[in-house]
Amino acid sequence: MYDEMASKYTVEYIAGGATQNSIKVAQWMLQIPGATSYMGCIGKDKFGEEMKKNSTKAGVNVHYYEDEAAPTGTCAVCVVGGERSLIANLSAANCYKSEHLKRPENWALVENAKYFYIAGFFLTVSPESIMLVAEHAAANNKIFSMNLSAPFICEFFKDVQEKALPYMDYVFGNETEARTFAKVHGWETENVEEIALKISQWPKASGAHKRITVITQGADPVVIAEDGKVKLFPVILLPKEKLVDTNGAGDAFVGGFLSQLVQEKPIEDCVKAGCYAANVIIQRSGCTYPEKPDFS
């Protein structure tokens, strides 16, 4: 399919990866050199080199694990009428090993960070790495956040997701993922506000921080559940003709949100920044952005 796309259509090659997209957007919003770091796995090939170049240029401090055998992961994005369909060939992205995380130069990044974000997708790759970071965050009063990422994660990786959930201070997701999470756990409700609340009340590993659930719903308001209450925040509506593609919108929302969270801004500002970033990204191809943000 990839060959067919490359030979029959004009293809754009854009550096991606769910967590990496979010971190790059947070870095872009912050405009502070080296404010963010990222770890993941790439192959020793042309795409891997491109990825390094792209992320470094974006100002992210990347420490990749380079797999000897597997090529860098790729994902075909087909866009029809602004809606996206993704066909992934995870390849090297599926090969990350916790040994890399434990190396002194990489664990130092963990020691120095105050906030952590990992996409739910990574539960399929290295739950051990996730637990190492989660336990470090809980033991050191740091903020640990994850994303539900996709309905299949909630369905088929339920056990590892449940193991990490007590450590999550922020849980991100969209309405479809939230409803799947509820169904898998036998909560007989489709009501996103109710589900967000129940996720926020799931038992926690450490009492230092409460859990906040953040659920996006496309053009509908963002749902925030904390302290037994739900708040709704409207998103910035975009005229249909301005929509290029929704690819990376959820990742960008998280990136914008995190950029304010790390500055200890109130939740309203975090959501506003998330909505701003998502709005910028859906007017462009892939998870890309202009040189400077126009957010205040």
Side-chain angles (χ1 to χ4, degrees), residues 93-99 101-102 107 118-136 144 146 153 156-168:
N94 221 4
C95 301
Y96 189 83
K97 305 279 184 289
S98 60
E99 286 66 56
L101 175 63
K102 291 174 187 165
W107 190 252
I118 306 178
F121 291 123
F122 199 61
L123 288 163
T124 72
V125 179
S126 181
E128 193 197 342
S129 299
I130 293 177
M131 294 314 292
L132 283 170
V133 174
E135 284 163 2
H136 166 85
F144 180 77
M146 283 191 74
I153 299 288
F156 305 113
F157 294 86
K158 175 176 180 265
D159 295 351
V160 279
Q161 190 179 52
E162 276 184 12
K163 212 176 147 202
L165 192 58
Y167 294 90
M168 298 179 205

Side-chain angles (χ1 to χ4, degrees), residues 245-267:
D245 80 59
T246 53
N247 189 32
D251 298 337
F253 174 87
V254 173
F257 188 100
L258 293 174
S259 74
Q260 304 307 299
L261 182 68
V262 302
Q263 300 180 71
E264 299 179 354
K265 297 275 171 71
I267 199 117

Side-chain angles (χ1 to χ4, degrees), residues 3 17 22 76 290:
D3 292 343
S22 296

